[in-house]
Amino acid sequence: MQDPNDPILAGRPGVSHGRFDSLLGWSCNRLGWIGWLTRRQARFLLIMLGASWGVIYESLRAHSWRRTVRYEFISTMNDIIRGGFVATLFAGVLTGVAAVSQVIYWLGLTGLATMTGSILINVVVREIAPILVGMLLLGRNGMLSTTELGLLTIGGEVRSMQAVGVDPFLLLVMPRTLAFTVAGFTLGILFSFASLVTGYVMSRLTGVISSPVWTFLDSVVTAMSGMDYAIIPLKFITVGFVVGLGGCLTGLTATRHDTLRSLLPRGFSRGMLIVMVVSVLFSLDL
């Protein structure tokens, strides 16, 4: 019978087995950390996908549009459009001065004035406008929704709503997301129109072009393809939708350990990433 206390029998194999266990434990800990990080990063994306379908599905049900939900939708939409009207108009004017007028000038200087309409549509209206409008929505109203819903979640008011039978998703998330959707389209069209008109005015004052404004706008509209009439409005709508939904979900997924100091940077970084991802996906030639 072997003695378990024999140093010859238990010495070297024990040391080798201990090193193997240590290496295995270290590998499992690292793999567990990678898995936890992956699940943490993918969790919000999966929540976004599920909540997107939930907003679309519930918005098509007449039973979901109760008086409180309608009031939340109308008040949020008015706040976004009225509050963002001046900022969007000012951003459109700056874009017209800095981008549109320069495009018109350099294309006219190189003899490519016939390409002005197509370049303005593809660069300013289709690419720049959705990103800037998304940033304006995120900076002013998206962060406000994140703050409001985050404080409600941290303070326990969301649990109180659920305890009395009120669904926070129907009362807060759905109407606010749809309000952002409508506002994204409205402010996007306003931004595009302001930037094009400002660019024309600057070019007319500097003598680059001499045609009337309706001729200039007609050339821009003529340069739009049939796909542009669908993609450009859809891009504005999608940007508003994801900015509103992302802000609301960031607030609702806050934990008791969160504060405004940690919640606001998280909401802003998520919102910027969402806007850029939507812009890139719509820019791909699939």
Side-chain angles (χ1 to χ4, degrees):
M1 213 174 153
Q2 296 181 355
D3 186 3
N5 296 322
D6 192 329
I8 298 177
L9 297 176
R12 189 171 301 278
V15 173
S16 177
H17 190 266
R19 290 177 179 174
F20 177 76
D21 287 344
S22 177
L23 180 61
L24 181 62
W26 182 86
S27 301
C28 291
N29 288 334
R30 293 300 179 270
L31 290 176
W33 181 83
I34 294 174
W36 172 82
L37 183 62
T38 303
R39 286 186 285 109
R40 182 181 179 183
Q41 297 300 323
R43 177 174 176 269
F44 187 76
L45 174 62
L46 297 177
I47 293 175
M48 279 280 296
L49 293 177
S52 299
W53 168 248
V55 170
I56 296 173
Y57 176 77
E58 292 295 340
S59 65
L60 299 177
R61 300 178 59 193
H63 181 70
S64 301
W65 291 96
R66 299 181 179 179
R67 183 175 60 182
T68 53
V69 177
R70 294 197 304 268
Y71 174 79
E72 185 70 20
F73 170 74
I74 294 174
S75 61
T76 303
M77 184 176 59
N78 289 335
D79 289 340
I80 298 173
I81 295 178
R82 291 177 181 175
F85 180 84
V86 176
T88 303
L89 193 63
F90 185 70
V93 170
L94 292 180
T95 304
V97 174
V100 177
S101 61
Q102 294 299 314
V103 169
I104 296 173
Y105 173 77
W106 288 108
L107 289 178
L109 188 65
T110 57
L112 300 175
T114 56
M115 298 179 59
T116 301
S118 60
I119 292 180
L120 290 178
I121 288 296
N122 292 324
V123 175
V124 177
V125 180
R126 192 170 175 176
E127 301 298 335
I128 297 179
I131 294 177
L132 292 182
V133 170
M135 292 174 62
L136 292 173
L137 289 175
L138 175 65
R140 186 184 185 278
N141 302 98
M143 291 295 93
L144 182 61
S145 293
T146 300
T147 302
E148 291 178 349
L149 271 65
L151 292 177
L152 290 177
T153 303
I154 296 172
E157 285 82 357
V158 173
R159 282 188 175 182
S160 301
M161 293 180 187
Q162 295 172 338
V164 298
V166 177
D167 189 352
F169 184 84
L170 291 179
L171 181 61
L172 300 174
V173 178
M174 185 192 74
R176 292 191 180 210
T177 302
L178 295 179
F180 271 88
T181 304
V182 176
F185 173 78
T186 304
L187 297 180
I189 297 300
L190 174 65
F191 177 92
S192 302
F193 182 77
S195 61
L196 292 176
V197 172
T198 303
Y200 167 81
V201 171
M202 293 298 299
S203 301
R204 185 67 181 269
L205 292 177
T206 56
V208 176
I209 57 177
S210 58
S211 59
V213 63
W214 51 83
T215 303
F216 169 74
L217 294 177
D218 180 72
S219 65
V220 173
V221 173
T222 305
M224 294 177 63
S225 62
M227 189 64 67
D228 289 330
Y229 284 99
I231 290 180
I232 293 174
L234 184 61
K235 197 170 185 178
F236 289 134
I237 290 173
T238 306
V239 166
F241 182 89
V242 296
V243 168
L245 183 61
C248 292
L249 292 180
T250 300
L252 284 182
T253 54
T255 63
R256 59 185 179 88
H257 302 291
D258 284 321
T259 61
L260 291 180
R261 191 173 183 178
S262 62
L263 196 62
L264 292 181
R266 185 190 310 160
F268 184 79
S269 60
R270 285 177 177 176
M272 286 298 302
L273 182 60
I274 290 171
V275 171
M276 298 304 297
V277 168
V278 170
S279 180
V280 170
L281 291 178
F282 273 92
S283 299
L284 296 177
D285 294 330
L286 300 178

